[in-house]
Amino acid sequence: QSFRHGRRVSGDVIARSAVISLRFHPMLDPNALAAIRLSIELSILATLILLVAGTPLAWWVARGRSPRWNWLRVPVRALVAMPLVLPPSVLGFYLLVAMGPNGPLGQLTQALGWGLLSFSFWGLLIGSVIYSLPFVVQPLINAFEALGQRPLEAAATLRAGPLDAFWHVALPLARPGYLTGAVMGFAHTLGEFGVVLMIGGNIPGQTRTISVQIYDHVEALEYAQAHWLAGGMLVFSFAVLLALHLLQARGRRAGAG
């Protein structure tokens, strides 16, 4: 009974301190602002890389017709989706090992004179690209699969080459997939925790992201700063999903009309 009573008392103390700190310290500190800036930069770069590199991958998975390599499509699709079910700590651990001094990627970067990527912004970027891969590539695959053959066949009858048909027919029709992938990739990268903590650690201004900063504030009982960051992420996530659903609904109505 005394143990349960002590837990209730400690929980009440924590909750009251959170409310009091939120009331009297409503400002974000410089570390939080630096974490926000770093997270936004990381999310933008990771999303751009995934949109560019994910386009040929998604096109091949969705539209590839080569009998020689057709058997690879299902395994590649499974690899793309693997970060959805793989624990972030597992992915982060193996990426950390690969980037370490004895790992293949770490040995390569050292041979090139780049040093080690672990516990650096560029290491975070590689981890974020891999971890957010399905959130960008899967919408692109779905968009390319939904094209069907008729638009591309119509472009071929007008003597459009494969590249012309891709740039002027496939890409405009797949625009909803690109919008979904960009929004989901950016939002997912912005909220990463396990992978970035494993690869980048907790270096202020270099590898400390918003989610890691929230964790630090909670550990230090700085609930005001944690409230502001966590609440901001909550509002941002809802706004992103709401905007995405509204845009998709508008696109469906435009297509039906």
Side-chain angles (χ1 to χ4, degrees), residues 33 45 63 73 124 129 165 169 184:
L33 296 176
L45 286 176
R63 315 286 305 184
R73 292 172 63 192
L124 286 187
V129 167
V169 177
M184 296 300 294

Side-chain angles (χ1 to χ4, degrees), residues 59-171:
W59 180 262
W60 177 78
V61 171
R63 315 286 305 184
R65 295 292 181 266
S66 174
R68 182 178 180 182
W69 303 106
N70 196 43
W71 63 275
L72 274 176
R73 292 172 63 192
V74 173
V76 169
R77 195 161 192 161
L79 285 174
V80 169
M82 186 174 289
L84 292 173
V85 298
L86 196 65
S89 56
V90 174
L91 180 60
F93 169 72
Y94 282 112
L95 287 174
L96 183 62
V97 171
M99 296 178 188
N102 298 320
L105 186 56
Q107 291 180 350
L108 175 62
T109 55
Q110 289 182 101
L112 295 174
W114 297 346
L116 295 175
L117 296 178
S118 54
F119 304 104
S120 71
F121 177 83
W122 302 110
L124 286 187
L125 182 60
I126 293 176
S128 298
V129 167
I130 295 175
Y131 191 50
S132 296
L133 182 68
F135 292 89
V136 177
V137 174
Q138 193 58 53
L140 299 184
I141 293 175
N142 296 338
F144 289 144
E145 287 179 338
L147 291 178
Q149 287 295 117
R150 185 172 297 178
L152 299 179
E153 290 174 352
T157 60
L158 298 175
R159 297 183 179 181
L163 285 179
D164 287 334
F166 176 77
W167 284 107
H168 300 291
V169 177
L171 279 186

